[in-house]
Structure formats: C-alpha cells, structure tokens
mmCIF file of all heavy atoms in Angstrom:
data_model
loop_
_atom_site.group_PDB
_atom_site.id
_atom_site.type_symbol
_atom_site.label_atom_id
_atom_site.label_comp_id
_atom_site.label_asym_id
_atom_site.label_seq_id
_atom_site.Cartn_x
_atom_site.Cartn_y
_atom_site.Cartn_z
ATOM 1 N N PRO J 1 21.880 -20.053 -6.790
ATOM 2 C CA PRO J 1 21.176 -18.942 -6.256
ATOM 3 C C PRO J 1 19.842 -18.621 -7.024
ATOM 4 O O PRO J 1 18.867 -18.230 -6.491
ATOM 5 C CB PRO J 1 22.138 -17.778 -6.473
ATOM 6 C CG PRO J 1 23.432 -18.386 -6.472
ATOM 7 C CD PRO J 1 23.249 -19.718 -7.135
ATOM 8 N N MET J 2 19.763 -19.057 -8.331
ATOM 9 C CA MET J 2 18.598 -18.814 -9.154
ATOM 10 C C MET J 2 17.575 -19.809 -8.831
ATOM 11 O O MET J 2 16.416 -19.567 -8.785
ATOM 12 C CB MET J 2 18.999 -18.816 -10.637
ATOM 13 C CG MET J 2 19.988 -17.771 -11.058
ATOM 14 S SD MET J 2 19.556 -16.045 -10.540
ATOM 15 C CE MET J 2 18.159 -15.789 -11.539
ATOM 16 N N VAL J 3 18.038 -21.067 -8.605
ATOM 17 C CA VAL J 3 17.144 -22.158 -8.140
ATOM 18 C C VAL J 3 16.553 -21.751 -6.785
ATOM 19 O O VAL J 3 15.294 -22.001 -6.585
ATOM 20 C CB VAL J 3 17.870 -23.490 -8.152
ATOM 21 C CG1 VAL J 3 16.929 -24.557 -7.513
ATOM 22 C CG2 VAL J 3 18.337 -23.926 -9.493
ATOM 23 N N ASP J 4 17.334 -21.174 -5.955
ATOM 24 C CA ASP J 4 16.861 -20.842 -4.561
ATOM 25 C C ASP J 4 15.710 -19.821 -4.726
ATOM 26 O O ASP J 4 14.725 -19.887 -3.913
ATOM 27 C CB ASP J 4 18.041 -20.256 -3.812
ATOM 28 C CG ASP J 4 17.662 -19.945 -2.369
ATOM 29 O OD1 ASP J 4 17.118 -20.813 -1.706
ATOM 30 O OD2 ASP J 4 17.951 -18.839 -1.855
ATOM 31 N N ARG J 5 15.765 -19.010 -5.766
ATOM 32 C CA ARG J 5 14.722 -17.983 -5.912
ATOM 33 C C ARG J 5 13.372 -18.605 -6.195
ATOM 34 O O ARG J 5 12.316 -17.967 -6.113
ATOM 35 C CB ARG J 5 15.121 -16.953 -6.971
ATOM 36 C CG ARG J 5 16.253 -16.057 -6.521
ATOM 37 C CD ARG J 5 16.503 -15.064 -7.567
ATOM 38 N NE ARG J 5 17.486 -14.039 -7.230
ATOM 39 C CZ ARG J 5 17.672 -12.858 -7.779
ATOM 40 N NH1 ARG J 5 16.952 -12.513 -8.779
ATOM 41 N NH2 ARG J 5 18.541 -12.020 -7.376
ATOM 42 N N LEU J 6 13.382 -19.847 -6.754
ATOM 43 C CA LEU J 6 12.227 -20.545 -7.274
ATOM 44 C C LEU J 6 11.395 -21.175 -6.123
ATOM 45 O O LEU J 6 10.242 -21.479 -6.290
ATOM 46 C CB LEU J 6 12.594 -21.641 -8.202
ATOM 47 C CG LEU J 6 12.887 -21.213 -9.685
ATOM 48 C CD1 LEU J 6 13.325 -22.404 -10.564
ATOM 49 C CD2 LEU J 6 11.650 -20.561 -10.351
ATOM 50 N N ARG J 7 12.074 -21.467 -5.044
ATOM 51 C CA ARG J 7 11.477 -22.323 -4.016
ATOM 52 C C ARG J 7 10.355 -21.585 -3.264
ATOM 53 O O ARG J 7 10.530 -20.471 -2.693
ATOM 54 C CB ARG J 7 12.578 -22.841 -3.029
ATOM 55 C CG ARG J 7 13.647 -23.567 -3.611
ATOM 56 C CD ARG J 7 14.593 -24.166 -2.681
ATOM 57 N NE ARG J 7 15.827 -24.803 -3.219
ATOM 58 C CZ ARG J 7 15.809 -26.020 -3.777
ATOM 59 N NH1 ARG J 7 14.737 -26.817 -3.748
ATOM 60 N NH2 ARG J 7 16.951 -26.471 -4.316
ATOM 61 N N LEU J 8 9.281 -22.348 -3.136
ATOM 62 C CA LEU J 8 8.145 -21.875 -2.243
ATOM 63 C C LEU J 8 8.126 -22.707 -0.962
ATOM 64 O O LEU J 8 7.494 -23.725 -0.762
ATOM 65 C CB LEU J 8 6.857 -22.103 -2.946
ATOM 66 C CG LEU J 8 6.430 -21.060 -4.005
ATOM 67 C CD1 LEU J 8 5.167 -21.495 -4.626
ATOM 68 C CD2 LEU J 8 6.260 -19.711 -3.349
ATOM 69 N N THR J 9 9.008 -22.312 -0.050
ATOM 70 C CA THR J 9 9.163 -23.028 1.238
ATOM 71 C C THR J 9 7.968 -22.712 2.136
ATOM 72 O O THR J 9 7.301 -21.725 1.948
ATOM 73 C CB THR J 9 10.488 -22.745 1.924
ATOM 74 O OG1 THR J 9 10.481 -21.312 2.292
ATOM 75 C CG2 THR J 9 11.668 -22.929 0.936
ATOM 76 N N PRO J 10 7.796 -23.574 3.122
ATOM 77 C CA PRO J 10 6.772 -23.153 4.204
ATOM 78 C C PRO J 10 6.954 -21.844 4.778
ATOM 79 O O PRO J 10 5.987 -21.134 5.004
ATOM 80 C CB PRO J 10 6.897 -24.330 5.163
ATOM 81 C CG PRO J 10 7.405 -25.518 4.413
ATOM 82 C CD PRO J 10 8.423 -24.926 3.429
ATOM 83 N N GLY J 11 8.199 -21.498 4.987
ATOM 84 C CA GLY J 11 8.518 -20.127 5.524
ATOM 85 C C GLY J 11 8.121 -19.003 4.565
ATOM 86 O O GLY J 11 7.599 -17.983 4.998
ATOM 87 N N ILE J 12 8.311 -19.198 3.296
ATOM 88 C CA ILE J 12 7.905 -18.210 2.314
ATOM 89 C C ILE J 12 6.481 -18.062 2.212
ATOM 90 O O ILE J 12 5.859 -16.977 2.142
ATOM 91 C CB ILE J 12 8.482 -18.511 0.902
ATOM 92 C CG1 ILE J 12 10.101 -18.283 0.984
ATOM 93 C CG2 ILE J 12 7.878 -17.734 -0.197
ATOM 94 C CD1 ILE J 12 10.792 -18.808 -0.320
ATOM 95 N N ILE J 13 5.745 -19.235 2.284
ATOM 96 C CA ILE J 13 4.305 -19.204 2.199
ATOM 97 C C ILE J 13 3.731 -18.457 3.408
ATOM 98 O O ILE J 13 2.813 -17.677 3.371
ATOM 99 C CB ILE J 13 3.669 -20.611 2.230
ATOM 100 C CG1 ILE J 13 4.184 -21.333 0.869
ATOM 101 C CG2 ILE J 13 2.252 -20.628 2.370
ATOM 102 C CD1 ILE J 13 3.577 -20.754 -0.323
ATOM 103 N N ALA J 14 4.330 -18.762 4.681
ATOM 104 C CA ALA J 14 3.907 -18.150 5.810
ATOM 105 C C ALA J 14 4.093 -16.591 5.787
ATOM 106 O O ALA J 14 3.212 -15.813 6.171
ATOM 107 C CB ALA J 14 4.650 -18.673 7.037
ATOM 108 N N THR J 15 5.180 -16.164 5.153
ATOM 109 C CA THR J 15 5.482 -14.724 4.999
ATOM 110 C C THR J 15 4.448 -14.175 4.001
ATOM 111 O O THR J 15 4.002 -12.971 4.188
ATOM 112 C CB THR J 15 6.924 -14.484 4.375
ATOM 113 O OG1 THR J 15 7.874 -15.018 5.418
ATOM 114 C CG2 THR J 15 7.189 -12.976 4.224
ATOM 115 N N LEU J 16 4.092 -14.848 2.938
ATOM 116 C CA LEU J 16 3.113 -14.308 2.041
ATOM 117 C C LEU J 16 1.761 -14.143 2.785
ATOM 118 O O LEU J 16 0.982 -13.142 2.537
ATOM 119 C CB LEU J 16 2.954 -15.212 0.833
ATOM 120 C CG LEU J 16 4.129 -15.341 -0.076
ATOM 121 C CD1 LEU J 16 3.979 -16.384 -1.131
ATOM 122 C CD2 LEU J 16 4.409 -13.995 -0.752
ATOM 123 N N GLN J 17 1.348 -15.146 3.592
ATOM 124 C CA GLN J 17 0.143 -15.045 4.337
ATOM 125 C C GLN J 17 0.106 -13.792 5.216
ATOM 126 O O GLN J 17 -0.833 -13.136 5.308
ATOM 127 C CB GLN J 17 -0.091 -16.343 5.195
ATOM 128 C CG GLN J 17 -0.425 -17.583 4.387
ATOM 129 C CD GLN J 17 -0.567 -18.760 5.278
ATOM 130 O OE1 GLN J 17 0.446 -19.409 5.679
ATOM 131 N NE2 GLN J 17 -1.796 -19.029 5.780
ATOM 132 N N GLU J 18 1.267 -13.656 5.914
ATOM 133 C CA GLU J 18 1.408 -12.557 6.876
ATOM 134 C C GLU J 18 1.283 -11.251 6.099
ATOM 135 O O GLU J 18 0.674 -10.267 6.628
ATOM 136 C CB GLU J 18 2.713 -12.613 7.592
ATOM 137 C CG GLU J 18 2.771 -11.585 8.796
ATOM 138 C CD GLU J 18 3.979 -11.794 9.641
ATOM 139 O OE1 GLU J 18 4.679 -12.852 9.567
ATOM 140 O OE2 GLU J 18 4.307 -10.860 10.474
ATOM 141 N N GLY J 19 1.860 -11.154 4.926
ATOM 142 C CA GLY J 19 1.795 -9.939 4.200
ATOM 143 C C GLY J 19 0.351 -9.683 3.712
ATOM 144 O O GLY J 19 -0.003 -8.526 3.804
ATOM 145 N N CYS J 20 -0.419 -10.619 3.378
ATOM 146 C CA CYS J 20 -1.767 -10.430 2.942
ATOM 147 C C CYS J 20 -2.600 -9.944 4.157
ATOM 148 O O CYS J 20 -3.405 -8.944 4.025
ATOM 149 C CB CYS J 20 -2.415 -11.693 2.400
ATOM 150 S SG CYS J 20 -1.776 -12.286 0.897
ATOM 151 N N LEU J 21 -2.324 -10.567 5.348
ATOM 152 C CA LEU J 21 -3.096 -10.056 6.539
ATOM 153 C C LEU J 21 -2.699 -8.780 6.962
ATOM 154 O O LEU J 21 -3.563 -7.900 7.456
ATOM 155 C CB LEU J 21 -2.852 -11.154 7.618
ATOM 156 C CG LEU J 21 -3.410 -12.469 7.361
ATOM 157 C CD1 LEU J 21 -3.045 -13.502 8.507
ATOM 158 C CD2 LEU J 21 -5.009 -12.516 7.178
ATOM 159 N N GLN J 22 -1.399 -8.466 6.822
ATOM 160 C CA GLN J 22 -0.955 -7.114 7.200
ATOM 161 C C GLN J 22 -1.608 -6.050 6.292
ATOM 162 O O GLN J 22 -2.049 -4.978 6.851
ATOM 163 C CB GLN J 22 0.630 -7.010 7.017
ATOM 164 C CG GLN J 22 1.256 -5.835 7.654
ATOM 165 C CD GLN J 22 2.790 -5.880 7.566
ATOM 166 O OE1 GLN J 22 3.304 -5.312 6.612
ATOM 167 N NE2 GLN J 22 3.409 -6.502 8.427
ATOM 168 N N LEU J 23 -1.692 -6.300 4.979
ATOM 169 C CA LEU J 23 -2.381 -5.469 4.078
ATOM 170 C C LEU J 23 -3.827 -5.195 4.447
ATOM 171 O O LEU J 23 -4.363 -4.101 4.481
ATOM 172 C CB LEU J 23 -2.217 -5.890 2.637
ATOM 173 C CG LEU J 23 -0.847 -5.635 1.885
ATOM 174 C CD1 LEU J 23 -0.946 -6.346 0.545
ATOM 175 C CD2 LEU J 23 -0.683 -4.144 1.667
ATOM 176 N N ALA J 24 -4.519 -6.311 4.801
ATOM 177 C CA ALA J 24 -5.865 -6.275 5.042
ATOM 178 C C ALA J 24 -6.143 -5.373 6.359
ATOM 179 O O ALA J 24 -7.270 -4.875 6.497
ATOM 180 C CB ALA J 24 -6.449 -7.682 5.340
ATOM 181 N N SER J 25 -5.164 -5.394 7.244
ATOM 182 C CA SER J 25 -5.304 -4.600 8.541
ATOM 183 C C SER J 25 -4.975 -3.135 8.263
ATOM 184 O O SER J 25 -5.284 -2.261 9.201
ATOM 185 C CB SER J 25 -4.494 -5.184 9.566
ATOM 186 O OG SER J 25 -3.106 -5.031 9.333
ATOM 187 N N MET J 26 -4.440 -2.786 7.222
ATOM 188 C CA MET J 26 -3.972 -1.356 6.985
ATOM 189 C C MET J 26 -5.165 -0.537 6.457
ATOM 190 O O MET J 26 -6.127 -1.028 5.891
ATOM 191 C CB MET J 26 -2.866 -1.343 5.967
ATOM 192 C CG MET J 26 -1.593 -1.952 6.432
ATOM 193 S SD MET J 26 -0.277 -2.078 5.103
ATOM 194 C CE MET J 26 0.105 -0.377 4.837
ATOM 195 N N ALA J 27 -5.085 0.762 6.794
ATOM 196 C CA ALA J 27 -6.171 1.676 6.345
ATOM 197 C C ALA J 27 -6.179 1.736 4.866
ATOM 198 O O ALA J 27 -5.167 1.646 4.218
ATOM 199 C CB ALA J 27 -5.885 3.048 7.026
ATOM 200 N N ASP J 28 -7.334 1.948 4.331
ATOM 201 C CA ASP J 28 -7.545 2.099 2.889
ATOM 202 C C ASP J 28 -7.156 3.602 2.514
ATOM 203 O O ASP J 28 -7.853 4.497 2.985
ATOM 204 C CB ASP J 28 -8.969 1.681 2.454
ATOM 205 C CG ASP J 28 -9.033 1.538 0.950
ATOM 206 O OD1 ASP J 28 -8.157 2.008 0.252
ATOM 207 O OD2 ASP J 28 -10.010 0.975 0.412
ATOM 208 N N ILE J 29 -6.154 3.792 1.691
ATOM 209 C CA ILE J 29 -5.818 5.168 1.309
ATOM 210 C C ILE J 29 -6.516 5.696 0.048
ATOM 211 O O ILE J 29 -6.438 6.885 -0.281
ATOM 212 C CB ILE J 29 -4.362 5.305 1.151
ATOM 213 C CG1 ILE J 29 -3.791 4.384 0.038
ATOM 214 C CG2 ILE J 29 -3.611 4.973 2.461
ATOM 215 C CD1 ILE J 29 -2.342 4.586 -0.282
ATOM 216 N N ILE J 30 -7.175 4.829 -0.637
ATOM 217 C CA ILE J 30 -7.966 5.251 -1.899
ATOM 218 C C ILE J 30 -9.006 6.211 -1.472
ATOM 219 O O ILE J 30 -9.923 5.944 -0.666
ATOM 220 C CB ILE J 30 -8.450 4.066 -2.625
ATOM 221 C CG1 ILE J 30 -7.285 3.120 -2.977
ATOM 222 C CG2 ILE J 30 -9.278 4.512 -3.915
ATOM 223 C CD1 ILE J 30 -6.254 3.748 -3.798
ATOM 224 N N GLY J 31 -9.066 7.301 -2.248
ATOM 225 C CA GLY J 31 -10.065 8.422 -1.979
ATOM 226 C C GLY J 31 -9.717 9.375 -0.874
ATOM 227 O O GLY J 31 -10.355 10.470 -0.629
ATOM 228 N N GLU J 32 -8.543 9.144 -0.258
ATOM 229 C CA GLU J 32 -8.116 10.072 0.739
ATOM 230 C C GLU J 32 -7.759 11.416 0.108
ATOM 231 O O GLU J 32 -7.059 11.563 -0.848
ATOM 232 C CB GLU J 32 -6.779 9.520 1.296
ATOM 233 C CG GLU J 32 -6.426 9.761 2.718
ATOM 234 C CD GLU J 32 -5.218 9.032 3.175
ATOM 235 O OE1 GLU J 32 -4.127 9.224 2.652
ATOM 236 O OE2 GLU J 32 -5.410 8.255 4.146
ATOM 237 N N ILE J 33 -8.189 12.501 0.714
ATOM 238 C CA ILE J 33 -7.916 13.852 0.247
ATOM 239 C C ILE J 33 -6.994 14.589 1.233
ATOM 240 O O ILE J 33 -7.241 14.536 2.512
ATOM 241 C CB ILE J 33 -9.237 14.710 0.102
ATOM 242 C CG1 ILE J 33 -10.109 14.025 -0.969
ATOM 243 C CG2 ILE J 33 -8.932 16.110 -0.283
ATOM 244 C CD1 ILE J 33 -11.479 14.680 -1.129
ATOM 245 N N SER J 34 -5.957 15.128 0.773
ATOM 246 C CA SER J 34 -4.960 15.856 1.566
ATOM 247 C C SER J 34 -4.628 17.176 1.080
ATOM 248 O O SER J 34 -4.899 17.535 -0.136
ATOM 249 C CB SER J 34 -3.621 14.981 1.562
ATOM 250 O OG SER J 34 -3.095 14.801 0.309
ATOM 251 N N GLY J 35 -4.146 18.022 1.940
ATOM 252 C CA GLY J 35 -3.670 19.327 1.596
ATOM 253 C C GLY J 35 -4.735 20.270 1.050
ATOM 254 O O GLY J 35 -4.424 21.236 0.291
ATOM 255 N N MET J 36 -5.940 20.159 1.530
ATOM 256 C CA MET J 36 -7.042 21.004 1.130
ATOM 257 C C MET J 36 -6.831 22.432 1.696
ATOM 258 O O MET J 36 -6.645 22.667 2.864
ATOM 259 C CB MET J 36 -8.396 20.485 1.660
ATOM 260 C CG MET J 36 -9.584 21.219 1.082
ATOM 261 S SD MET J 36 -9.878 21.005 -0.661
ATOM 262 C CE MET J 36 -10.427 19.349 -0.751
ATOM 263 N N ARG J 37 -6.747 23.352 0.689
ATOM 264 C CA ARG J 37 -6.540 24.743 1.069
ATOM 265 C C ARG J 37 -7.459 25.652 0.313
ATOM 266 O O ARG J 37 -7.766 25.447 -0.931
ATOM 267 C CB ARG J 37 -5.091 25.166 0.737
ATOM 268 C CG ARG J 37 -4.025 24.397 1.522
ATOM 269 C CD ARG J 37 -2.586 24.896 1.174
ATOM 270 N NE ARG J 37 -2.343 24.729 -0.318
ATOM 271 C CZ ARG J 37 -1.939 23.594 -0.782
ATOM 272 N NH1 ARG J 37 -1.648 22.576 -0.106
ATOM 273 N NH2 ARG J 37 -1.658 23.572 -2.121
ATOM 274 N N GLU J 38 -7.953 26.776 0.985
ATOM 275 C CA GLU J 38 -8.864 27.740 0.370
ATOM 276 C C GLU J 38 -8.025 28.734 -0.403
ATOM 277 O O GLU J 38 -7.042 29.260 0.239
ATOM 278 C CB GLU J 38 -9.772 28.364 1.356
ATOM 279 C CG GLU J 38 -10.830 29.208 0.655
ATOM 280 C CD GLU J 38 -12.016 29.674 1.614
ATOM 281 O OE1 GLU J 38 -12.168 28.953 2.637
ATOM 282 O OE2 GLU J 38 -12.593 30.750 1.303
ATOM 283 N N GLN J 39 -8.442 29.072 -1.612
ATOM 284 C CA GLN J 39 -7.658 30.041 -2.427
ATOM 285 C C GLN J 39 -8.365 31.386 -2.329
ATOM 286 O O GLN J 39 -9.615 31.449 -1.899
ATOM 287 C CB GLN J 39 -7.606 29.557 -3.833
ATOM 288 C CG GLN J 39 -6.936 28.234 -4.002
ATOM 289 C CD GLN J 39 -5.568 28.261 -3.427
ATOM 290 O OE1 GLN J 39 -4.720 29.089 -3.720
ATOM 291 N NE2 GLN J 39 -5.237 27.256 -2.554
ATOM 292 N N PRO J 40 -7.704 32.461 -2.619
ATOM 293 C CA PRO J 40 -8.299 33.794 -2.556
ATOM 294 C C PRO J 40 -9.685 33.883 -3.307
ATOM 295 O O PRO J 40 -10.543 34.691 -2.991
ATOM 296 C CB PRO J 40 -7.329 34.757 -3.209
ATOM 297 C CG PRO J 40 -5.936 34.029 -2.898
ATOM 298 C CD PRO J 40 -6.350 32.587 -2.985
ATOM 299 N N SER J 41 -9.803 33.053 -4.459
ATOM 300 C CA SER J 41 -11.061 33.049 -5.231
ATOM 301 C C SER J 41 -12.221 32.455 -4.470
ATOM 302 O O SER J 41 -13.351 32.597 -4.931
ATOM 303 C CB SER J 41 -10.770 32.345 -6.495
ATOM 304 O OG SER J 41 -10.493 30.938 -6.250
ATOM 305 N N GLY J 42 -12.006 31.751 -3.461
ATOM 306 C CA GLY J 42 -13.020 31.031 -2.691
ATOM 307 C C GLY J 42 -12.980 29.569 -2.942
ATOM 308 O O GLY J 42 -13.635 28.802 -2.096
ATOM 309 N N ILE J 43 -12.402 29.044 -3.978
ATOM 310 C CA ILE J 43 -12.394 27.649 -4.187
ATOM 311 C C ILE J 43 -11.377 26.954 -3.252
ATOM 312 O O ILE J 43 -10.464 27.537 -2.729
ATOM 313 C CB ILE J 43 -11.885 27.300 -5.672
ATOM 314 C CG1 ILE J 43 -10.496 27.774 -5.894
ATOM 315 C CG2 ILE J 43 -12.899 27.904 -6.654
ATOM 316 C CD1 ILE J 43 -9.890 27.313 -7.313
ATOM 317 N N ARG J 44 -11.620 25.730 -2.946
ATOM 318 C CA ARG J 44 -10.711 24.917 -2.111
ATOM 319 C C ARG J 44 -10.046 23.848 -3.027
ATOM 320 O O ARG J 44 -10.731 23.169 -3.780
ATOM 321 C CB ARG J 44 -11.484 24.272 -0.966
ATOM 322 C CG ARG J 44 -11.929 25.274 0.153
ATOM 323 C CD ARG J 44 -12.616 24.627 1.276
ATOM 324 N NE ARG J 44 -13.789 23.924 0.947
ATOM 325 C CZ ARG J 44 -14.360 22.888 1.566
ATOM 326 N NH1 ARG J 44 -13.666 22.322 2.579
ATOM 327 N NH2 ARG J 44 -15.440 22.345 1.119
ATOM 328 N N VAL J 45 -8.750 23.751 -2.890
ATOM 329 C CA VAL J 45 -7.998 22.840 -3.755
ATOM 330 C C VAL J 45 -7.134 21.880 -2.908
ATOM 331 O O VAL J 45 -6.534 22.232 -1.898
ATOM 332 C CB VAL J 45 -6.953 23.652 -4.643
ATOM 333 C CG1 VAL J 45 -6.097 22.772 -5.477
ATOM 334 C CG2 VAL J 45 -7.711 24.680 -5.457
ATOM 335 N N GLY J 46 -7.309 20.555 -3.211
ATOM 336 C CA GLY J 46 -6.597 19.549 -2.525
ATOM 337 C C GLY J 46 -6.197 18.433 -3.535
ATOM 338 O O GLY J 46 -6.376 18.562 -4.755
ATOM 339 N N GLN J 47 -5.706 17.308 -2.956
ATOM 340 C CA GLN J 47 -5.356 16.200 -3.768
ATOM 341 C C GLN J 47 -5.917 14.888 -3.303
ATOM 342 O O GLN J 47 -5.913 14.664 -2.063
ATOM 343 C CB GLN J 47 -3.749 16.024 -3.855
ATOM 344 C CG GLN J 47 -3.058 17.153 -4.649
ATOM 345 C CD GLN J 47 -1.541 16.927 -4.767
ATOM 346 O OE1 GLN J 47 -0.887 17.009 -3.667
ATOM 347 N NE2 GLN J 47 -1.056 16.669 -5.861
ATOM 348 N N MET J 48 -6.465 14.114 -4.139
ATOM 349 C CA MET J 48 -7.070 12.867 -3.911
ATOM 350 C C MET J 48 -6.191 11.669 -4.386
ATOM 351 O O MET J 48 -5.739 11.683 -5.474
ATOM 352 C CB MET J 48 -8.445 12.744 -4.446
ATOM 353 C CG MET J 48 -9.170 11.441 -4.250
ATOM 354 S SD MET J 48 -10.807 11.247 -5.081
ATOM 355 C CE MET J 48 -11.807 12.382 -4.036
#
C-alpha cells in the first residue's frame, strides 16, 4: 500500500492536470471583503 502511494500513473497525472485547471477557473477570493456593516459611530467594519 505504501508503494502504491508512490506511483505517478497516467490517471494520477490527469487528475493533477484537472485540479490545476479547475483552480484556474475558480474565482479569486483574495481581497474579498465580506460582512461590511456600519456602526453607530459611522465607521464601517468588515473582513477581508
């Protein structure tokens, strides 16, 4: 079973390729701001 974990079969390579392409097609979440709410003081607070 441990040797099996070492193998880079064509199927595994294809899955790695698909994973890269899937990531590339996903929206970039870096810099996303959520939960922006105005406080009684007038400031607006959210999370990036």
Side-chain angles (χ1 to χ4, degrees):
M2 303 307 292
V3 174
D4 186 49
R5 292 184 173 197
L6 281 176
R7 299 187 189 278
L8 282 175
T9 64
I12 289 173
I13 296 296
T15 299
L16 293 174
Q17 288 180 276
E18 190 174 345
C20 290
L21 294 174
Q22 193 177 97
L23 280 172
S25 68
M26 294 171 68
D28 193 344
I29 61 173
I30 301 303
E32 209 175 65
I33 297 177
S34 60
M36 187 65 74
R37 298 181 301 275
E38 186 168 339
Q39 303 304 306
S41 63
I43 62 172
R44 290 185 294 152
V45 180
Q47 289 182 295
M48 177 183 287

